Amino acid sequence: MADAKTAELMEKIVSLCKRRGFIFQSSEIYGGLNGFWDYGPLGAELKRNIKEAWWRSMTQFRDDIVGLEASIIMHPKIWEASGHTSTFSDLMVDCLLTKKRFRADQIEPQSGLVYRFDGAYDGTEINPLLNQYAPEERKNVENWLHSAAVHVWRDIKTGDSDAARKALVPPEEFKQFNGPPIDQLLVLFMKACDKESHEPYSVLLPAGKPPESARKVAAQFYRERGLQSPNLLGEKTEKIENSTRYNPENGSLLTEPRPFNLMLKTYVGPVESEDNKSYLRPETAQAIFVQFKNVLEVSRQKVPFGICQIGKAFRNEINPRNFTFRSREFEQMELEFFIRPDEAIEAIYGSVATPSGPGHPGESQPNWGWQMWHQYWVEERFRFYESIGLPRTSLVEYWQKSDELAHYARATVDILYKFPFSKRDEKGELMGEELEGVAARSDFDLSQHQRYSGKSMTVFDEELKAAWPKLDDSKRSALSQRYFESRQRYLIKTGETEEKAEKQAKEESDALSKGYYVPHVIEPSAGVDRLALALICNAYGEDQAPDEKGKMETRVVMKFHPRIAPLKVAVFPLLKNKPELVKKAKEVRDLLRPHMSVFYDEAGAIGRRYRRQDEAGTPYGVTIDFETLGEKGPELQETVTLRERDSMKQERIKIAELPPRLLQTIR
Ligand code: GAP
């Protein structure tokens, strides 16, 4: 749960995002659409810079990765093969009172006193009579009426008329009560029971809350079920600890958890039929797997190599929350890096290199097994985040535990950022929330598409073919056996019969000896919007700076790394009513424009203009003044003031030196 300080910080960040045009609520003028966001002028630039930095790091700076841009809607069979149709779901629960929906795993455990009710009946007619009794007497009379009614129905059903007659005799003590005749009440009660709800219901109250609040919630629940004036039946209480069965907002019982598929459906073509049903992709990765063979053929790449993609993904999240963190429409940046199975590496190189300790393992080597590649990509991704301004101390490396891993995954490292809304550990440290997952997914994905499409996803490896006959017999049979077992395990886990699995695994291990295999994959998968939010949270700062009159005031400054800052430089003529200054400033703007995003601003006092750019996160400000024009001597002519956003330091620099100077940090 966010504390007051972090909630206040998030509020400031959200408000700045709207005020300065980073992020707006989608469809705001119609009241918004939960889980959807629009990026304003600064946000759009920021996102483009993030994607460009990622794309450049993956493709431009490497020989072994190529790009792909696939369609959002793909053949629905893809989602059967990937497992999304059957298993891409979250457990959800609904509040029985308000119908609000929650993700079951997001309900905080609660303790307190549970008030349970067997049901309720409509007291519209009977209540004025019951109210004539003293409260304690009323309770006794009501309980008796209820048990008499239950008996009568049950006994009549079982044909036991004696028992029914007995049940209708009121207790002796009722004669002492001061109220209307019991017979009259019984008739009204039986009538009221025509409108009875037998649905049990319960409410959890934290310790110390009066029972009336539970009864109020329960009465509301039965009112929703059509009882005008519900009289509650069979109230009992029970202490409970750490229960996740109740709505934390109002104490109402929740429904049993049930799976909810997160894929957004649509129809392709003019007929809305089951046959035309399709999905907006919930991840970009699958397109890479299904185009693997095409890309391999045209790109002249050989395993190990990667295919990367940036694109939109859609998930009908049960509970979008934490600003853009969990949205229903978002962008992913995914790399599928295809590697040889360890058995092939061992056959070619005699052994498989595994990590000797933590940290970046250095330049890739041909004898790396999946563990080396996995560690390499985890470290590469940390380096990327650092290169765009997220310090390592703001990130967390979280190794998924064996019970959290998908059945086909060998290891997954989540890279977390310490968002202000992250949970805190027992020492009060922010634990972080996921920015990216780096998963070693074995050969699951390509194998699944091979099975579902009937098209081979194997590659031919010359080196393996050449190495195999040179192995000694024991090595050959050990590697064959290991490969056979891993393929057999996969086939059985994914529903093949034992007999079929054995036959196919045997064929595949024979194919390995001839140089064929389905590549394994390491998948670093990141979210653009989560990263944008992390960079915004990381950049937000407040410090003290002098105003126009030299008085200190609070300055809001977005300390983006120049590489991803939405605008790189702002150009200001000192005064807007001096045509020579304006003309020169526009010349400087035009000089810089081909190299970077430039913001030209001539309105208002120069101090105010600086502040506006500080809030936008523009790392540099360039002011053109009278010195620039040479009015204070030739030595300062053609120079400008360059102001650095974070330190607010100013220096004089020649106009001609501006492009190389600024490009040093923004590239
Ligand atoms: N292909 C693997 C995959 O999609 P994931 O962990 O479900 O894995 C990868 O998603 C990344 O996509 C996450 O680390 C996160 O950055 C981003 N992401 C996932 N769901 C998101 C959501 N609802 N809103 C924003 N970003 C999301």
Side-chain angles (χ1 to χ4, degrees):
M1 197 65 73
D3 56 39
K5 236 170 139 189
T6 56
E8 190 189 313
L9 174 61
M10 270 320 287
E11 248 171 57
K12 284 183 181 177
I13 290 172
V14 173
S15 130
L16 176 122
C17 281
K18 172 158 189 203
R19 180 160 42 87
R20 293 312 317 259
F22 281 96
I23 302 172
F24 304 126
Q25 194 183 16
S26 159
S27 326
E28 194 187 281
I29 60 167
Y30 290 99
L33 188 60
N34 197 9
F36 296 88
W37 301 94
D38 295 339
Y39 288 81
L42 291 178
E45 292 287 346
L46 176 68
K47 266 187 93 173
R48 285 177 73 92
N49 293 344
I50 292 171
K51 289 187 277 185
E52 205 175 298
W54 186 89
W55 190 260
R56 275 156 55 94
S57 79
M58 287 293 171
T59 59
Q60 201 170 325
F61 286 99
R62 304 186 65 107
D63 294 323
D64 56 357
I65 299 179
V66 291
L68 178 74
E69 191 164 321
S71 62
I72 286 173
I73 297 177
M74 299 185 283
H75 198 291
K77 262 215 139 165
I78 288 175
W79 309 112
E80 279 176 42
S82 66
H84 283 81
T85 319
S86 53
T87 59
F88 189 57
S89 51
D90 280 339
L91 285 179
M92 62 165 185
V93 286
D94 295 327
C95 172
L96 282 170
L97 187 65
T98 60
K99 308 278 182 293
K100 183 166 171 184
R101 189 157 279 183
F102 299 89
R103 249 175 71 172
D105 63 348
Q106 285 171 359
I107 304 280
E108 294 282 340
Q110 303 154 80
S111 305
L113 202 58
V114 170
Y115 287 75
R116 297 190 196 285
F117 303 93
D118 292 338
Y121 68 95
D122 192 3
T124 312
E125 280 188 64
I126 201 172
N127 278 351
L129 298 180
L130 283 174
N131 286 341
Q132 291 174 24
Y133 290 101
E136 230 3 76
E137 289 174 359
R138 175 188 160 139
K139 205 167 143 197
N140 284 344
V141 169
E142 223 181 338
N143 282 344
W144 178 79
L145 287 168
H146 184 234
S147 85
V150 170
H151 263 284
V152 170
W153 282 311
R154 198 186 56 203
D155 299 341
I156 286 173
K157 234 182 173 177
T158 57
D160 191 348
S161 53
D162 273 357
R165 232 188 321 274
K166 263 192 219 149
L168 289 173
V169 180
E172 271 300 299
E173 65 191 277
F174 283 13
K175 290 188 181 141
Q176 319 296 325
F177 292 179
N178 212 358
I182 294 289
D183 292 359
Q184 190 191 347
L185 287 175
L186 193 58
V187 171
L188 277 179
F189 185 82
M190 300 295 267
K191 206 170 134 204
C193 287
D194 281 349
K195 276 207 202 156
E196 189 178 19
S197 166
H198 296 284
E199 198 178 334
Y201 179 64
S202 51
V203 181
L204 173 64
L205 286 191
K209 267 203 149 185
E212 259 328 299
S213 6
R215 292 177 194 136
K216 237 166 124 178
V217 173
Q220 182 61 28
F221 169 81
Y222 289 111
R223 224 172 275 127
E224 305 275 329
R225 270 139 192 86
L227 304 187
Q228 205 182 336
S229 182
N231 284 358
L232 304 169
L233 291 169
E235 176 180 316
K236 287 182 206 74
T237 55
E238 186 197 342
K239 259 191 170 165
I240 58 162
E241 302 261 341
N242 297 325
S243 171
T244 52
R245 298 285 301 116
Y246 295 89
N247 182 346
E249 292 163 8
N250 59 11
S252 166
L253 184 67
L254 300 162
T255 57
E256 289 293 330
R258 55 192 193 283
F260 171 77
N261 193 295
L262 300 181
M263 282 199 294
L264 276 153
K265 294 176 199 67
T266 187
Y267 296 92
V268 174
V271 183
E272 289 192 10
S273 66
E274 252 326 274
D275 286 348
N276 289 344
K277 193 161 84 183
S278 203
Y279 301 96
L280 303 189
R281 66 182 176 202
E283 60 171 25
T284 59
Q286 294 306 320
I288 299 180
F289 297 126
V290 300
Q291 292 293 2
F292 167 73
K293 273 301 190 74
N294 276 338
V295 176
L296 181 69
E297 255 166 47
V298 300
S299 61
R300 302 176 59 82
Q301 292 282 351
K302 270 197 329 199
V303 174
F305 81 103
I307 306 175
C308 68
Q309 177 170 218
I310 298 178
K312 288 269 187 184
F314 302 82
R315 296 183 188 178
N316 200 3
E317 295 285 355
I318 296 171
N319 238 351
R321 57 184 195 151
N322 287 331
F323 200 18
T324 57
F325 181 81
R326 191 174 299 288
S327 307
R328 288 179 166 139
E329 175 177 338
F330 55 96
E331 270 183 293
Q332 287 187 315
M333 305 182 285
E334 297 200 292
L335 165 68
E336 304 302 330
F337 197 82
F338 300 97
I339 56 174
R340 286 167 160 151
D342 279 6
E343 291 79 6
I345 292 165
E346 201 171 328
I348 300 166
Y349 299 101
S351 65
V352 177
T354 52
S356 57
H360 199 295
E363 206 170 312
S364 65
Q365 300 300 322
N367 64 344
W368 278 9
W370 73 265
Q371 284 170 298
M372 285 296 266
W373 276 115
H374 185 240
Q375 183 161 330
Y376 169 85
W377 276 113
V378 169
E379 291 300 326
E380 279 289 297
R381 300 304 303 137
F382 273 107
R383 283 186 180 180
F384 171 77
Y385 289 122
E386 287 176 282
S387 76
I388 55 169
L390 291 182
R392 185 92 188 207
T393 49
S394 70
L395 301 168
V396 177
E397 178 176 334
Y398 175 78
W399 284 75
Q400 284 191 10
K401 305 201 176 64
S402 54
D403 60 343
E404 295 170 295
L405 286 175
H407 70 81
Y408 48 78
R410 292 176 156 178
T412 298
V413 168
D414 289 336
I415 299 177
L416 317 180
Y417 172 74
K418 294 177 186 170
F419 286 100
F421 48 76
S422 315
K423 284 191 187 139
R424 290 180 187 273
D425 63 14
E426 55 292 348
K427 289 191 210 128
E429 292 285 321
L430 288 170
M431 289 160 75
E433 296 278 350
E434 183 186 326
L435 271 190
E436 168 160 2
V438 185
R441 295 173 64 92
S442 71
D443 49 9
F444 174 78
D445 304 279
L446 289 179
S447 299
Q448 283 292 95
H449 289 298
Q450 178 167 275
R451 281 175 79 189
Y452 277 74
S453 68
K455 304 279 179 340
S456 167
M457 290 289 168
T458 55
V459 295
F460 174 62
D461 190 327
E462 290 255 27
E463 283 178 272
L464 174 61
K465 186 177 179 232
W468 198 266
K470 296 182 197 143
L471 297 173
D472 64 45
D473 286 350
S474 63
K475 185 86 163 181
R476 219 176 0 233
S477 78
L479 289 177
S480 277
Q481 182 61 20
R482 243 168 56 200
Y483 194 70
F484 167 81
E485 282 167 12
S486 90
R487 295 303 299 162
Q488 190 189 33
R489 246 190 331 270
Y490 152 74
L491 290 161
I492 289 175
K493 274 238 157 103
T494 50
E496 214 55 279
T497 61
E498 284 197 18
E499 199 185 328
K500 255 188 151 178
E502 186 167 342
K503 185 167 171 275
Q504 194 179 324
K506 175 82 183 60
E507 281 167 18
E508 290 179 3
S509 79
D510 287 347
L512 183 80
S513 66
K514 298 183 180 83
Y516 292 94
Y517 52 78
V518 174
H520 286 229
V521 74
I522 307 290
E523 178 195 70
S525 167
V528 183
D529 308 78
R530 282 195 189 171
L531 179 51
L533 184 59
L535 290 165
I536 287 171
C537 292
N538 192 66
Y540 185 89
E542 290 176 14
D543 59 17
Q544 295 294 308
D547 69 6
E548 293 297 299
K549 296 182 184 117
K551 206 173 121 227
M552 295 307 265
E553 62 173 6
T554 300
R555 171 179 84 132
V556 172
V557 53
M558 296 297 283
K559 295 184 175 175
F560 290 119
H561 190 291
R563 218 169 262 145
I564 50 100
L567 303 168
K568 309 300 184 195
V569 60
V571 175
F572 313 118
L574 186 62
L575 299 170
K576 87 169 176 190
N577 54 4
K578 292 277 177 235
E580 316 87 284
L581 287 177
V582 169
K583 182 167 172 279
K584 195 75 200 163
K586 287 187 173 166
E587 273 173 39
V588 173
R589 176 197 66 186
D590 295 344
L591 171 79
L592 295 172
R593 252 182 187 166
H595 309 284
M596 63 195 78
S597 52
V598 185
F599 188 80
Y600 175 80
D601 187 5
E602 53 184 33
I606 193 76
R608 290 266 141 248
R609 282 183 266 168
Y610 282 148
R611 285 295 175 280
R612 278 205 289 270
Q613 291 312 309
D614 289 341
E615 274 197 344
T618 312
Y620 299 106
V622 170
T623 306
I624 287 79
D625 51 21
F626 294 105
E627 282 92 329
T628 317
L629 303 178
E631 291 187 11
K632 305 253 169 95
E635 63 283 5
L636 291 181
Q637 191 168 8
E638 287 295 304
T639 67
V640 290
T641 308
L642 177 66
R643 175 191 184 261
E644 202 273 328
R645 175 198 62 203
D646 299 349
S647 63
M648 292 184 277
K649 280 200 182 120
Q650 301 191 3
E651 63 175 300
R652 224 52 228 173
I653 173 169
K654 286 206 174 94
I655 291 173
E657 283 168 16
L658 274 174
R661 171 69 184 278
L662 302 187
L663 282 170
Q664 256 171 34
T665 58
I666 64 180
R667 272 284 154 83

